[in-house]
Amino acid sequence: MPPLSSPQAIPNVTAPVAVIGDVYIDEVFEGDDRRGASTEHLGGSGLAVATDLALLGVECMLIASVGDDAAGRRVRAHLDEHGIQFLPTVGSHPTGHVRSVHVQGRTHSRYDESTRLRRVDFDDAQLAAIGDAPYVAVAGFAFDDKKQQRKLLAAVRQPQNRLVLDPNPREGLFIDQGRFRRHFERHASSALLVHLGSGDAELIFRSPVDEVTSDLLDLGAGHVLATEGRNGSRWVNRAGLDVSAPIAYFDGPVVDTLGAGDAVLAVAIAALVREGVPRRELDARAILHRAMALAGATIRNRGPHLQDADEVPISAKRTSNAFRVLEEPRHRLVR
């Protein structure tokens, strides 16, 4: 087996990163009154991660389920604008719709049936793209669906070199918490990198995130990136690397926390693409600082991701190599 993240271990280092995840329309209400005025934006972890990757200048594609409707066309227009290839599964049900309420900086969401029943076909085009991708990021996936998780297992070759996981569970979105956990652990046991937030750890495992981090490494995950809200972030691997970084402070109030974890995951994927797996504390800490910078900017913006590359903080664009600032050309749409 070639070394982790070496060119020989990855099918095609020049192919787009494949992101598999959820997409929906998020209708947001301020305060407790759902009858008042609301705003809509595109939501879903899959779309947020893909968008953040594009803003970071990383070529990527999105595999997700949408309906043949106006909302689905809105998703396509957004992805086209950001130069993100879209390989959708077009289901018989509409594009998912979520009603979210912001109360004192926290978000409470109610998912419709279409969102709960999101499924990916893993058709020939999707399988070819997954097979060719240097990394496959899964963010917002129906792990509690036995058929879905089996198709994912079969689709991703060499997961120890390529698979990046974020369970991104949501209360009311998964159907069976126990099955979700068992299937997620099966994939995590052979994943290159697992991202886990403190809320995710409590919801899925009923345990603190530091305990779950150790358990995932014991299961076989290569690296774990843990985020703990105000306590910042931590990168741990099976070789003994264990570093942390505090949150980033910016001017302006926190608007909402949507998309913070997705921003962290996108920065980590961008680092894997450009720098490979971190071996030194210096490299891992640099990734964490960049991730905290992008997450800090995201939570001061309405919606789950920034709107334009100019909004990405310079500190989120730096590499660990003497903190050189990356140029960020617009990526063409891959068809």
Side-chain angles (χ1 to χ4, degrees):
M1 179 68 65
L4 289 180
S5 198
S6 72
Q8 294 79 20
I10 297 173
N12 186 350
V13 294
T14 63
V17 170
V19 180
I20 306 171
D22 48 16
V23 173
Y24 47 74
I25 301 297
D26 198 356
E27 184 180 11
V28 181
F29 297 82
E30 294 295 337
D32 294 318
D33 189 359
R34 287 188 173 87
R35 296 167 297 178
S38 65
T39 58
E40 282 190 354
H41 57 249
L42 297 178
S45 299
L47 183 136
V49 171
T51 301
D52 285 339
L53 282 172
L55 294 177
L56 289 168
V58 176
E59 194 168 7
C60 64
M61 67 180 69
L62 177 62
I63 297 172
S65 173
V66 295
D68 183 13
D69 53 17
R73 291 188 289 275
R74 183 177 171 186
V75 170
R76 292 173 187 271
H78 170 89
L79 296 174
D80 186 75
E81 178 185 354
H82 286 82
I84 301 168
Q85 182 184 5
F86 191 28
L87 297 177
T89 290
V90 181
S92 58
H93 48 77
T95 302
H97 186 272
V98 179
R99 294 167 66 89
S100 297
V101 178
H102 291 318
V103 181
Q104 297 180 345
R106 294 188 176 274
T107 303
H108 307 273
S109 300
R110 180 176 297 173
Y111 301 90
D112 70 353
E113 184 178 15
S114 294
T115 310
R116 291 193 300 271
L117 295 178
R118 72 207 188 284
R119 298 294 183 268
V120 174
D121 284 344
F122 290 96
D123 60 26
D124 290 344
Q126 292 168 346
L127 289 175
I130 292 169
D132 203 37
Y135 296 100
V136 180
V138 181
F141 187 77
F143 283 106
D144 51 343
D145 185 297
K146 183 181 292 186
K147 291 182 179 179
Q148 282 285 282
Q149 68 93 21
R150 283 182 174 175
K151 288 180 178 180
L152 181 63
L153 279 174
V156 184
R157 305 187 313 273
Q158 301 183 40
Q160 72 277 9
N161 296 321
R162 307 168 57 222
L163 181 60
V164 180
L165 288 181
D166 188 334
N168 219 319
R170 294 292 182 266
E171 196 103 51
L173 184 55
F174 57 71
I175 299 170
D176 187 313
Q177 182 265 346
R179 191 161 57 207
F180 187 102
R181 171 179 174 169
R182 291 193 299 274
H183 292 168
F184 171 71
E185 287 179 331
R186 183 176 184 184
H187 290 267
S189 67
S190 59
L192 170 64
L193 172 65
V194 178
H195 170 246
L196 190 73
S198 55
D200 302 339
E202 293 289 348
L203 183 56
I204 303 174
F205 298 93
R206 312 298 188 199
S207 299
V209 67
D210 57 341
E211 291 184 13
V212 180
T213 295
S214 297
D215 292 342
L216 291 173
L217 293 174
D218 290 342
L219 281 173
H223 302 254
V224 177
L225 170 53
T227 48
E228 304 179 64
R230 293 183 179 275
N231 293 324
S233 57
R234 182 182 175 209
W235 189 295
V236 190
N237 72 12
R238 298 179 67 195
L241 188 70
D242 189 346
V243 299
S244 59
I247 60 172
Y249 291 94
F250 292 91
D251 293 334
V254 173
V255 177
D256 65 59
T257 57
L258 284 174
D262 302 320
V264 169
L265 183 63
V267 170
I269 296 167
L272 292 176
V273 170
R274 290 171 170 149
E275 305 159 25
V277 175
R279 305 293 183 185
R280 304 177 300 168
E281 290 187 5
L282 174 68
D283 299 326
R285 188 171 289 111
I287 296 171
L288 295 180
H289 281 295
R290 300 201 304 267
M292 294 296 93
L294 187 60
T298 299
I299 63 177
R300 287 164 175 81
N301 171 78
R302 181 67 66 197
H305 50 75
L306 301 178
Q307 301 302 310
D308 190 270
D310 291 338
E311 297 179 312
V312 177
I314 292 295
S315 52
K317 306 174 187 178
R318 300 179 187 273
T319 71
S320 58
N321 181 15
F323 295 124
R324 179 175 57 84
V325 178
L326 291 167
E327 295 182 356
E328 295 183 356
R330 278 286 187 188
H331 281 276
R332 60 184 173 82
L333 177 64
V334 180
R335 298 190 185 277

